[in-house]
Amino acid sequence: MGGRLEKAKGYDRKHPLIIPAGSLAKLMIRDMHEETLHGGTRLTMNLIRERYWIINLRRQVKQCVLNCVKCCRFKQKMGEQIMADLPASRVTEAMIFSQTGLDYAGPFKIKASNVRSPPIRIKPTVVNGEVIKSIPKVPVYEGYIALFICFTTKAVHLEVVSDQTTEAFLAAFDRFISRRGTPECCHSDNSKTFIGARNVLAEDEKQSIVDYNRVTKHWANGGISWSFIPPRAPHFGGLWESNIKSMKYHLKRVVGELTLTYEEL
């Protein structure tokens, strides 16, 4: 036993005091734990072994730390909400973009022209006796980016939209269908733009509240069903919201403060 103690790390030959496991050892461990300002297991063990050798020290120190009221109180973690099961459209194998989520990002400033000075003649004005030739600026308007994301593969398709009207979105939606195919179901929030598009793309003529001529124009799209998330619950659309964030992350670092035209964007 003496040979093992001499080889033990931290053993001091000047104080060869061996203490068995028991009440005395628990009191010494608790006192050292409080003296180290509620230190961890290793710190408490190292300071105890500078003077004493307690049998089964590690097990008793761990038990002391776990039973310490203050340590348990300050180590408690906040309760976290358990994630619910994913909807069937997220975990069922399907063709790409058959289940599509969509959202708008923006507004982004878009120049109407790439010409430095548009062909608009403005007469020079006189201010304090000085003639000032005012050069007209290129008009800038607000545009948006429509994001389409596949529920199965998380593939992303982006389209530039000039405004938030239903007609502009339907034009972007037609470009999306021409490139990616017709989806079976679209998921979105309760924006008026998407509600108007749903009415145009309604499967039944009676479900549409717009002119029947506009319905027949998009009838070739194949009767797309539409699913809306609950009102004022953006966390239900976390899939497309996170991809909107990723798109803005890269767009801001590439474009910066520049104002692009529609074609450049």
Side-chain angles (χ1 to χ4, degrees), residues 79-90:
E80 298 180 358
Q81 183 69 33
I82 300 176
M83 181 178 176
D85 295 336
L86 292 174
S89 56
R90 292 282 304 276

Side-chain angles (χ1 to χ4, degrees), residues 39-171:
T41 303
R42 290 187 177 181
L43 178 60
T44 306
M45 289 178 58
N46 292 337
L47 293 180
I48 289 176
R49 283 178 175 172
E50 289 181 357
R51 299 187 59 185
Y52 308 104
W53 185 266
I54 299 178
I55 307 301
N56 294 330
L57 178 61
R58 182 181 296 274
R59 179 179 59 83
Q60 296 185 80
V61 172
K62 285 185 177 181
Q63 187 177 2
C64 177
V65 174
L66 291 175
N67 294 334
C68 181
V69 178
K70 291 187 178 180
C71 292
C72 292
R73 182 183 299 171
F74 288 100
K75 286 184 179 180
Q76 291 297 324
K77 296 182 180 180
M78 297 294 293
E80 298 180 358
Q81 183 69 33
I82 300 176
M83 181 178 176
D85 295 336
L86 292 174
S89 56
R90 292 282 304 276
V91 296
T92 304
E93 294 184 2
M95 292 293 294
I96 186 171
F97 286 106
S98 60
Q99 298 288 333
T100 304
L102 52 100
D103 194 13
Y104 267 20
F108 299 97
K109 293 183 179 180
I110 301 178
K111 291 192 299 185
S113 174
N114 217 2
V115 182
R116 292 186 177 181
S117 58
I120 302 177
R121 302 300 179 183
I122 299 179
K123 296 181 179 180
T125 58
V126 179
V127 179
N128 297 328
E130 297 181 0
V131 179
I132 300 177
K133 296 181 179 181
S134 58
I135 301 176
K137 295 182 179 180
V138 178
V140 177
Y141 63 95
E142 292 183 347
Y144 299 85
I145 295 179
L147 181 139
F148 301 84
I149 181 168
C150 174
F151 273 27
T152 306
T153 62
K154 293 186 179 180
V156 175
H157 179 92
L158 301 176
E159 287 289 344
V160 183
V161 187
S162 58
D163 52 40
Q164 284 187 313
T165 60
T166 302
E167 290 76 9
F169 170 73
L170 289 175

